[in-house]
Amino acid sequence: MDWVSLGRTGTMVSELPFGTWRFGRETDAGHVEIDEERAYELLDAYEAHGGRFIDTADMYGDGKSESWIGNWLDERDREEFVVASKVYWPTRDDPNGRGLSRKHLRRQIDAILDRLGTDYVDLLYIHRWDDRTPPEEFMRTLDGFVESGRVNHLGSSTLWPNAWKVVRANAIAERYGYEPFTVVQPRYNLVDREIEGPFLEMCAEYDLGVVPWSPLGEGFLTGKYDRDDVSGVESRAAEDDSFESKYLSDDNFAALDVLREVADEVDASPAQVALAWLRHHDQVVGPIVGARTVDQLTENLGAADVSLSDDQFDRLAAAKPGPFADIADSPARGDR
């Protein structure tokens, strides 16, 4: 797995970050998606493939994700790894137990570092925008975390399509000399193309690194669903009742057809090619990969070895144009 630059920060990260949102997560049926033992197996497998960029959040598994990562890192050299976490969602049952207020942020950064067993996180995202807290306040508070050495870099997660919010926050940072957002984490994949257009143009203009989540469209781009056989949909719909309406459409299946064609051409799985398309994207740092099993993770990490030609990249990009295709440039292929 290659090292790539985390946007303009100068920090080098693995080209396929590992997402841990399923660690300790309880489903509506009451079972844990990934327990502690499986979490360590997955982290071991990621490390064995050269992975060093781990993504978590304070609310994943009610804090279990960070605690398990911290336990795992305790037996390793912390400096070899880049760890990203996020803050916003409720973690306490009181009015100040959520959001981006100074009270909540200060409490949460201490809790995050304690669970991870570290003095700092490499990257701290705001998980959502907080309309109740003035951005001048939360940008000043986040800047204090950087000044104190508890955070290295700042990012914003899931703010698409509201590019103006990122711009506003960074304009405040520039005005007062605060640390700006240098990384964004939106949903982006071959069939979810909403960020193309104004949001990606904003990222290019301000040189922000893009670290997409849901790069496989909640599993649709693995190719396991078929127009004529959607036997796996019932189990998937049990987790997300909107999955069928979001993904099982004619235009998405048309894009999946092209994905399968390219996968056959390069002797890879559809999932690997979908991830490789993002890897080759000029503005993408690396798509966040996740998995329930070591075999799934190993397959996904195989995307690091998949190379796409300009023609294959463009065919995939054209398979399902984004909503701003008529006014925005097509995605540009980078060197990877």
Side-chain angles (χ1 to χ4, degrees):
M1 200 181 308
D2 287 339
W3 292 86
V4 296
S5 179
L6 182 63
R8 56 186 168 87
T9 67
T11 295
M12 301 299 290
V13 296
S14 303
E15 61 182 324
L16 291 171
F18 179 42
T20 63
W21 73 276
R22 288 192 174 97
F23 284 14
R25 176 177 178 265
E26 290 193 16
T27 66
D28 292 339
H31 72 273
V32 176
E33 276 202 81
I34 295 177
D35 62 18
E36 188 170 5
E37 182 179 0
R38 178 64 58 81
Y40 297 148
E41 291 174 355
L42 289 165
L43 288 165
D44 285 345
Y46 181 64
E47 179 188 29
H49 282 81
R52 297 294 186 272
F53 187 11
I54 302 171
D55 182 271
T56 186
D58 61 356
M59 47 78 69
Y60 290 172
D62 293 328
K64 295 183 182 71
S65 175
E66 289 177 332
S67 294
W68 297 348
I69 292 167
N71 292 341
W72 184 82
L73 284 174
D74 190 50
E75 300 179 0
R76 288 158 178 82
D77 182 354
R78 164 69 178 90
E79 291 304 313
E80 291 185 4
F81 294 86
V82 175
V83 180
S85 192
K86 311 177 194 72
V87 60
Y88 170 82
W89 290 111
T91 55
R92 291 167 56 93
D93 188 20
D94 69 67
N96 291 312
R98 63 174 295 166
L100 301 178
S101 69
R102 183 164 295 139
K103 183 177 181 66
H104 184 62
L105 288 176
R106 285 178 171 173
R107 181 167 53 211
Q108 285 311 106
I109 191 61
D110 289 340
I112 288 169
L113 297 180
D114 182 63
R115 286 191 292 265
L116 287 170
T118 184
D119 296 331
Y120 70 98
V121 289
D122 298 274
L123 174 60
L124 182 68
Y125 294 97
I126 61 167
H127 216 157
R128 295 292 190 276
W129 186 267
D130 183 1
D131 289 318
R132 297 185 308 174
T133 303
E136 290 84 355
E137 176 173 323
F138 64 70
M139 292 304 290
R140 180 181 179 185
T141 306
L142 293 170
D143 178 69
F145 295 166
V146 176
E147 285 294 309
S148 68
R150 289 179 288 176
V151 173
N152 284 346
H153 305 294
L154 301 176
S156 63
S157 177
T158 321
L159 292 191
W160 55 268
N162 297 313
W164 68 268
K165 291 184 175 180
V166 181
V167 173
R168 181 184 181 192
N170 276 5
I172 290 169
E174 182 176 5
R175 182 186 313 152
Y176 295 107
Y178 301 155
E179 182 75 13
F181 295 136
T182 50
V183 183
V184 295
Q185 191 183 104
R187 181 177 69 179
Y188 190 34
N189 57 63
L190 276 168
V191 294
D192 291 312
R193 307 283 286 276
E194 306 94 334
I195 73 167
E196 292 177 5
F199 193 88
L200 271 187
E201 290 171 358
M202 179 274 296
C203 294
E205 177 69 21
Y206 292 95
D207 198 15
L208 302 178
V210 179
V211 182
W213 59 268
S214 193
L216 297 178
E218 299 181 31
F220 176 77
L221 294 171
T222 63
K224 64 182 177 182
Y225 301 105
D226 190 88
R227 286 181 179 84
D228 302 318
D229 179 13
V230 291
S231 57
V233 172
E234 286 189 13
S235 61
R236 185 64 184 82
E239 295 180 28
D240 181 358
D241 58 12
S242 66
F243 177 80
E244 185 171 358
S245 61
K246 280 194 297 186
Y247 289 105
L248 304 187
S249 62
D250 289 340
D251 57 347
N252 282 354
F253 275 117
L256 186 58
D257 289 341
V258 178
L259 178 62
R260 286 173 170 147
E261 290 173 5
V262 174
D264 287 341
E265 293 168 10
V266 299
D267 192 24
S269 70
Q272 289 171 336
V273 173
L275 293 167
W277 183 77
L278 288 168
R279 281 182 52 249
H280 286 73
H281 194 299
D282 191 46
Q283 289 183 249
V284 171
V285 174
I288 298 173
V289 300
R292 288 184 175 90
T293 69
V294 169
D295 286 345
Q296 289 176 348
L297 180 60
T298 299
E299 177 187 345
N300 289 342
L301 295 178
D305 299 321
V306 175
S307 294
L308 301 176
S309 68
D310 289 346
D311 173 70
Q312 290 166 335
F313 180 89
D314 292 340
R315 282 161 53 201
L316 290 165
K320 184 188 176 183
F324 300 99
D326 292 339
I327 61 173
D329 293 334
S330 296
R333 182 179 184 276
D335 295 332
R336 283 179 284 157

